[in-house]
Amino acid sequence: MHPIIFFSKMDFSQSNLFGYIEDLQELTIIERPVRRSLKTPEEIERLTVDEELSDIERAVYLLSSGQDIQGTSVVANLPVLMRQNPAETLRRVLPKIREVLHVAGVEMQLTAAVSFLTVLQEESVSIHTYSHSFLHIILQNLEHRDAGVSNAWLETLLAVIEALPKETIRHEILNPLVSKAQLSQTLQSRLVSCKIMGKLANKFEAHIIKREILPLVKSLCHDVEYEVRTCMCRQLEHVAQGIGTELTKTVVLPELVELARDEGSSVRLAAFETLVNLLDMFDADDRSQTVLPLVKSFCEKSFKADESILVSLSFHLGKLCNGLYGIFTPEQHLRFLEFYKKLSTLGLQQENGHNDNQLQLQTLEQEKKYISVRKNCAYNFPAMIVFVDPKNFHLELYSIFFCLCHDPEVPVRYTMAISFYEVAKLLNSGVYTIHKELVTLLQDESLEVLDALVGHLPEILELMTNGGESSGSESKLLSIPDLIPALTTAEQRAATSLKWRTHEKLLQKYACLPHIISSDQIYYRFLHRMLTIILTNNVLPVQKAAARTLCVYLRYNRKQEQRHEVIQKLIEQLGQGKSYWNRLRFLDTCEFIMELFSKSFFCKYFFLPVLELTHDPVANVRMKLCYLLPKVKSTLKIPTDKHLLQQLELCIRKLLCQEKDKDVLTIVKRTVLELDRMEISVDVFQKRFYENDLLDQEKERQEHLLLEMEQLEKEKQQNEGRSTNVNDKIFEKKRRDSKTSSVLAKSITLSVPVNSSGTSAGKEDKKSKLVRSQSFSTQALHPKYSNIDKCPNKSSATGYTSSVSGMGKGCMLSFS
């Protein structure tokens, strides 16, 4: 089709005119099928139903004379009819559905299977009534010619078996199953029988299973069709759980051994997987004499004639190695470890030039298989650490760990990122050996890998900084020197991508950093970045995540000057920002401030800037403020904050008198009623506010400790500097006066300042406070706490004066 292009000057030459005519003809051709698809009056009449009919009558009518799509709609609505009028639905509608299903299409069959299952799950009728009315319809449609329909009805039947009584199962399902499982029946019928066998094995006692079910199981295990043998082999796990350990050893295990040598590769694969899943039911003799030789045979064949088992073998290898651990000889232990290493690099040797003798073009199918194998090896890596013992990790598995973390395929690295936390936990004190791989995955080019790693990032960083031998409060980053650049790079890459959920998740997890790195490093590398995200990002969840993380950083910042600067920027750039969007984010940030800080802190620095927004020119800002006012009022304490309460009441009066926006005024009136019902806590401790007061007092105590910490650290630095200067002066004077009399030398020595007992005691007291403050700093953000603001409720109230001394540029952070 020629595209119709409009030019500033139309060309009506003969050639172009013919082109336009052709375009118009094509448009008419497109329009004709639309006209043909319209319903004729007769068709509309046939599809019309009398509105006065009841739901039951309408359903019966549509099933009798309606079209397929109308009948399917009735079948889909069956659970609703059963809830409304079960008796009439069973008497009139269900028989019609039974008739229609004989000639129904695939869509109606699938819909009926789902509806029958829904009726069972909702328990609209008793199980006796259900089995009497629905079970026969389910059994009749089990052998539908369409495999999808047959499987849908089978799933419904298996769910029904769970709820049916034993006698009903025995008469309605087990007895007919004997004939359905015979070789004379169709392949589909025998496959259905296999799956029903697995479900029935858990419904009866062992002696009934042995007498009535096991003969059928053996018969199906020797079926002439490999699909049936495969299906029955996978059901042997359920059969074994039903008959117990003894019968499993004498009946199921011999069948598995025979099926493991079957000519069909799918049968051998099913036998292998069932053996692995049943390892716990076999004793040491069975494992060493029967299972181990079979496993060795599988491993040997997997690289030669039977590559189809490679993917499954790599997936189950961790469970297999640990399940057979007790019977391995040292040689066998080493052999299985080498086999795992070989699988971990499968498909990479040729690229690296290590397999020159077998160079060949790999097909796309082979490449996908090799990627799946390496992905399964990454999945099993924690299990293999247990297999070799974490003490031997660096010697035995580190090279494989390195290869998997640097694998060229994203699914492999993604799986390693998911299991990284498990690996770190297993290594414990040796976790520092994998810090380079952590940095590598943080800087991975795929955001999927980063997203998988970030899920447990706080726990991983906690283990890295405190689990390694080199960890300590003074040198947390010695074990991960490249951590901060990797974290900043990861955040920037997430910010520039379109996957904002990954960015939001990352910012939420970065709230753990005050426990990992120093306050100064957070301030210079992360805190201002959070403020930039709030101001510039266009995604609301990302902005909120950055705002909360910024508040956490502010909460545990250890320098008064830095805290003052951040508070000032929040008020000026957000609360007083030109964009109403920034002012809305300021209110979000204030909610987080109220959540994380004490009431006094909020009242001291943010109460009045919040109230200033009652005069905001944008209605949405005033509306959001009104929703926030109850929380704002809850931060007040009487009589200390009486003047702030008066300011709040004044702002409410102005809103009631001057507000012109109807929506805002409605919310203001609703808020006023809520504020009137609120009780304000007083400075005196009250039982009714017991938990909240304790929590708030603990927050105040921690804020006060941060200031104590800062002051004591300054004094410590000053004392160390003064002591160094004095010692240097003494040393210099001794050197100059070394040839003078010994009396003068003694007088110089005695002139060195020595602490008196009183001064020493005072310094000891300050030192104990410093230790206590540092202890709070290192434990404030421990991952074991589910929420950052949850604190222990065992503390005395050491508060500070709640006075508002200037806001905006004159805002000073001063505790008393």
Side-chain angles (χ1 to χ4, degrees):
M1 177 177 176
H2 303 290
I4 302 176
I5 304 173
F6 295 93
F7 298 96
S8 59
K9 184 178 180 181
M10 296 297 292
D11 182 9
F12 290 103
S13 62
Q14 187 175 7
S15 59
N16 282 331
L17 188 60
F18 282 124
Y20 299 144
I21 293 173
E22 289 177 2
D23 291 334
L24 292 173
Q25 288 176 344
E26 289 185 7
L27 287 173
T28 57
I29 292 172
I30 294 173
E31 189 177 356
R32 283 172 194 163
V34 178
R35 289 179 177 174
R36 289 174 182 171
S37 65
L38 296 175
K39 300 297 181 184
T40 63
E42 292 78 10
E43 290 174 325
I44 294 174
E45 180 66 24
R46 197 161 56 247
L47 291 171
T48 304
V49 181
D50 188 357
E51 294 181 359
E52 296 182 358
L53 293 177
S54 66
D55 291 342
I56 299 293
E57 290 171 341
R58 185 183 298 107
V60 173
Y61 172 78
L62 292 175
L63 288 170
S64 301
S65 57
Q67 295 189 358
D68 285 346
I69 190 170
Q70 292 175 314
T72 303
S73 176
V74 172
V75 173
N77 200 45
L78 180 64
V80 178
L81 296 175
M82 288 294 299
R83 288 195 296 268
Q84 295 174 349
N85 194 342
E88 283 298 300
T89 302
L90 291 176
R91 188 175 69 85
R92 299 183 61 187
V93 179
L94 195 61
K96 285 290 182 182
I97 291 177
R98 185 172 186 170
E99 292 176 9
V100 171
L101 284 177
H102 283 296
V103 292
V106 171
E107 186 176 356
M108 187 181 292
Q109 287 277 354
L110 294 174
T111 305
V114 174
S115 293
F116 281 27
L117 181 58
T118 304
V119 171
L120 173 72
Q121 293 170 342
E122 293 181 352
E123 299 180 355
S124 303
V125 293
S126 66
I127 190 63
H128 175 75
T129 304
Y130 186 92
S131 61
H132 178 72
S133 304
F134 291 86
L135 185 58
H136 290 288
I137 303 177
I138 296 172
L139 293 172
Q140 285 176 357
N141 292 280
L142 268 180
E143 299 179 33
H144 195 275
R145 60 183 179 275
D146 185 275
V149 171
S150 178
N151 287 331
W153 284 112
L154 178 60
E155 292 300 320
T156 302
L157 176 63
L158 296 180
V160 171
I161 289 175
E162 287 292 333
L164 290 177
K166 291 181 181 179
E167 286 304 314
T168 303
I169 295 175
R170 190 165 185 175
H171 291 294
E172 300 294 338
I173 299 175
L174 182 57
N175 291 341
L177 198 64
V178 176
S179 60
K180 296 290 184 183
Q182 302 302 317
L183 283 174
S184 57
Q185 297 294 320
T186 62
L187 173 63
Q188 183 67 24
S189 176
R190 304 204 302 276
L191 289 173
V192 168
S193 299
C194 292
K195 295 178 180 178
I196 295 176
M197 289 290 181
K199 180 64 69 173
L200 295 182
N202 292 315
K203 297 295 294 184
F204 294 101
E205 292 79 8
H207 67 277
I208 296 178
I209 297 173
K210 184 178 180 180
R211 184 177 69 250
E212 299 187 18
I213 294 180
L214 284 184
L216 294 176
V217 170
K218 290 183 178 180
S219 173
L220 291 169
C221 283
H222 296 87
D223 196 278
V224 294
E225 299 290 343
Y226 75 91
E227 295 101 325
V228 178
R229 298 197 302 275
T230 302
C231 186
M232 193 63 248
C233 185
R234 295 194 180 279
Q235 298 301 318
L236 287 179
E237 179 183 350
H238 305 293
V239 174
Q241 293 170 354
I243 63 179
T245 305
E246 292 300 322
L247 280 176
T248 297
K249 182 177 180 179
T250 58
V251 178
V252 175
L253 185 57
E255 293 294 335
L256 282 174
V257 172
E258 185 174 350
L259 290 168
R261 300 189 179 99
D262 196 275
E263 59 184 9
S265 60
S266 63
V267 181
R268 295 195 299 272
L269 180 61
F272 168 73
E273 293 178 349
T274 305
L275 271 172
V276 175
N277 293 331
L278 291 177
L279 271 179
D280 294 338
M281 299 189 71
F282 302 137
D283 56 28
D285 291 338
D286 291 331
R287 294 181 191 181
S288 60
Q289 298 175 10
T290 307
V291 179
L292 183 57
L294 282 175
V295 171
K296 289 170 63 179
S297 175
F298 275 101
C299 294
E300 292 169 359
K301 291 179 180 179
S302 60
F303 281 106
K304 298 177 182 177
D306 195 6
E307 288 189 351
S308 61
I309 205 172
L310 262 183
V311 176
S312 177
L313 183 58
S314 61
F315 180 77
H316 291 94
L317 192 60
K319 185 177 181 180
L320 194 61
C321 288
N322 286 282
L324 299 175
Y325 181 81
I327 64 171
F328 279 151
T329 63
E331 182 183 356
Q332 291 170 339
H333 186 283
L334 182 61
R335 185 179 299 174
F336 273 85
L337 179 59
E338 291 300 321
F339 181 70
Y340 172 76
K341 292 179 179 180
K342 188 174 182 180
L343 290 178
S344 300
T345 56
L346 188 65
L348 301 179
Q349 294 93 336
Q350 293 179 3
E351 297 177 8
N352 298 330
H354 298 312
N355 199 11
D356 296 332
N357 295 330
Q358 299 179 1
L359 284 176
Q360 57 182 358
L361 292 176
Q362 296 180 0
T363 64
L364 182 61
E365 193 65 29
Q366 282 178 319
E367 187 62 29
K368 289 181 179 178
K369 185 184 298 182
Y370 292 158
I371 293 171
S372 297
V373 169
R374 299 200 304 274
K375 178 183 175 182
N376 290 338
C377 288
Y379 166 78
N380 279 300
F381 197 86
M384 296 308 295
I385 292 179
V386 176
F387 182 63
V388 302
D389 195 313
K391 296 178 182 178
N392 301 322
F393 167 77
H394 194 273
L395 182 64
E396 299 287 355
L397 287 176
Y398 176 74
S399 59
I400 297 300
F401 184 75
F402 177 87
C403 290
L404 292 173
C405 287
H406 291 81
D407 195 276
E409 299 298 331
V410 172
V412 182
R413 303 196 305 276
Y414 174 84
T415 308
M416 286 304 296
I418 289 179
S419 61
F420 198 95
Y421 174 52
E422 294 297 324
V423 173
K425 281 198 301 184
L426 289 170
L427 293 180
N428 198 6
S429 61
V431 70
Y432 63 89
T433 58
I434 60 172
H435 71 273
K436 292 181 180 178
E437 285 66 38
L438 172 62
V439 172
T440 298
L441 293 176
L442 279 171
Q443 296 175 327
D444 195 277
E445 61 183 11
S446 170
L447 278 178
E448 294 178 8
V449 176
L450 177 62
D451 187 79
L453 185 67
V454 165
H456 287 288
L457 186 62
E459 296 85 351
I460 293 171
L461 294 178
E462 166 69 15
L463 288 169
M464 284 287 179
T465 53
N466 294 333
E469 295 175 356
S470 62
S471 65
S473 59
E474 298 295 329
S475 57
K476 287 184 177 181
L477 285 180
L478 289 180
S479 58
I480 321 178
D482 301 326
L483 174 63
I484 293 178
L487 291 173
T488 54
T489 301
E491 189 277 321
Q492 289 167 1
R493 288 190 58 257
T496 55
S497 72
L498 296 177
K499 297 183 179 180
W500 63 264
R501 287 182 177 84
T502 299
H503 193 200
E504 177 196 15
K505 183 178 178 182
L506 195 70
L507 295 176
Q508 290 170 347
K509 298 298 182 180
Y510 276 15
C512 74
L513 292 182
H515 183 59
I516 308 300
I517 60 181
S518 70
S519 178
D520 279 340
Q521 289 165 327
I522 289 176
Y523 176 77
Y524 290 112
R525 301 300 294 272
F526 296 98
L527 195 148
H528 291 286
R529 174 60 182 163
M530 297 300 155
L531 185 59
T532 302
I533 292 171
I534 301 171
L535 291 169
T536 60
N537 198 280
N538 295 323
V539 182
L540 180 58
V542 172
Q543 288 180 309
K544 286 189 173 183
R548 192 181 193 282
T549 301
L550 182 145
C551 292
V552 173
Y553 293 165
L554 177 64
R555 176 73 175 81
Y556 296 104
N557 187 280
R558 297 172 62 176
K559 291 190 176 180
Q560 183 177 356
E561 183 181 351
Q562 293 176 359
R563 291 194 296 272
H564 163 258
E565 180 189 345
V566 175
I567 292 172
Q568 183 175 336
K569 285 185 176 181
L570 287 175
I571 294 171
E572 290 182 352
Q573 298 183 22
L574 289 180
Q576 300 169 1
K578 294 181 180 180
S579 170
Y580 86 96
W581 190 256
N582 289 341
R583 301 195 295 276
L584 287 174
R585 299 294 73 78
F586 176 71
L587 293 176
D588 289 332
T589 306
C590 287
E591 283 196 75
F592 297 132
I593 294 280
M594 287 185 278
E595 174 191 348
L596 297 171
F597 289 80
S598 65
K599 296 178 180 179
S600 301
F601 181 90
F602 176 79
C603 290
K604 191 175 183 71
Y605 301 107
F606 292 95
F607 194 94
L608 291 181
V610 168
L611 291 188
E612 287 177 5
L613 294 178
T614 55
H615 310 292
D616 197 278
V618 179
N620 282 353
V621 178
R622 301 195 301 274
M623 188 181 299
K624 187 175 182 66
L625 173 62
C626 291
Y627 283 119
L628 191 62
L629 285 179
K631 287 185 178 181
V632 171
K633 185 179 178 181
S634 67
T635 62
L636 297 175
K637 290 183 180 180
I638 299 300
T640 306
D641 301 323
K642 187 176 180 179
H643 61 293
L644 295 180
L645 180 60
Q646 292 172 351
Q647 291 288 336
L648 174 63
E649 292 172 350
L650 180 62
C651 290
I652 292 292
R653 290 194 194 100
K654 287 183 178 179
L655 281 172
L656 284 171
C657 297
Q658 301 175 5
E659 184 57 56
K660 297 179 181 180
D661 188 280
K662 294 181 180 179
D663 295 331
V664 178
L665 187 59
T666 303
I667 296 169
V668 171
K669 293 178 180 178
R670 191 186 309 161
T671 304
V672 169
L673 295 176
E674 186 176 350
L675 291 173
D676 287 341
R677 291 193 297 266
M678 285 183 62
E679 295 184 57
I680 302 178
S681 61
V682 297
D683 288 340
V684 181
F685 192 83
Q686 293 177 295
K687 289 184 178 180
R688 56 182 168 176
F689 301 117
Y690 181 78
E691 291 185 3
N692 291 335
D693 284 349
L694 279 181
L695 182 59
D696 188 62
Q697 289 171 8
E698 178 64 19
K699 290 177 181 177
E700 284 193 36
R701 186 185 69 84
Q702 292 176 359
E703 290 162 5
H704 188 64
L705 283 175
L706 284 172
L707 290 175
E708 282 186 356
M709 184 192 311
E710 181 183 5
Q711 184 62 32
L712 292 173
E713 286 178 350
K714 286 182 179 178
E715 292 179 6
K716 182 180 177 182
Q717 291 174 359
Q718 291 174 0
N719 291 336
E720 288 177 353
R722 191 182 302 116
S723 176
T724 302
N725 291 336
V726 171
N727 289 332
D728 289 344
K729 289 178 181 179
I730 293 172
F731 178 78
E732 183 65 23
K733 191 167 183 64
K734 281 185 177 182
R735 189 181 61 81
R736 288 198 310 265
D737 301 337
S738 58
K739 298 181 180 180
T740 59
S741 62
S742 60
V743 178
L744 182 60
K746 287 182 181 179
S747 67
I748 294 174
T749 305
L750 293 173
S751 68
V752 179
V754 180
N755 293 333
S756 63
S757 59
T759 308
S760 177
K763 289 199 172 184
E764 285 297 323
D765 182 54
K766 289 185 178 181
K767 186 176 181 181
S768 66
K769 287 185 178 180
L770 179 60
V771 171
R772 181 162 52 102
S773 302
Q774 289 174 338
S775 175
F776 154 70
S777 176
T778 56
Q779 295 179 5
L781 290 172
H782 199 280
K784 70 181 179 181
Y785 297 120
S786 60
N787 197 340
I788 197 94
D789 59 332
K790 291 185 180 178
C791 306
N793 288 334
K794 299 178 182 178
S795 65
S796 60
T798 57
Y800 50 82
T801 304
S802 176
S803 61
V804 179
S805 56
M807 305 305 294
K809 293 184 179 179
C811 177
M812 295 298 292
L813 184 62
S814 60
F815 295 80
S816 63

